[in-house]
Amino acid sequence: RYIGNLKRISQLNKIELYKRIINTEKERIIVPKFAEIGGISRQYAYRLVKRNEIPSVKLRERYVIPMSCVRQVFTRDVQ
């Protein structure tokens, strides 16, 4: 189960959003970076993680999100 409301997240130009996702070479990202890529607030991104709408893992004090999940969330509306 992923984000139910992609309209709020995909306010960026869809092509620009896709470029940001593809150009990230990391295997996982932290929540603030997820928020930056998606053009949403950090608070909203953390809320999505807490609700388990975005799969994540807590490593020490940070939540990390696998890039495969990030791509799945953002690119399903782009294609």
Side-chain angles (χ1 to χ4, degrees), residues 15-68:
I15 295 171
E16 181 64 30
L17 178 64
Y18 188 71
K19 286 180 186 177
R20 288 185 187 188
I21 293 167
I22 296 302
N23 292 333
T24 303
E25 297 177 4
K26 298 183 178 185
E27 293 180 22
R28 56 191 173 271
I29 60 172
I30 58 176
V31 175
K33 184 68 174 176
F34 173 80
E36 179 186 328
I37 288 172
I40 60 173
S41 70
R42 286 181 5 173
Q43 182 181 12
Y44 184 61
Y46 278 109
R47 192 176 312 143
L48 293 172
V49 167
K50 296 279 186 181
R51 290 183 194 159
N52 293 320
E53 292 186 42
I54 299 295
S56 64
V57 177
K58 189 168 185 175
L59 297 177
R60 296 185 184 171
E61 293 127 24
R62 293 183 173 195
Y63 286 96
V64 295
I65 304 167
M67 277 307 294
S68 60

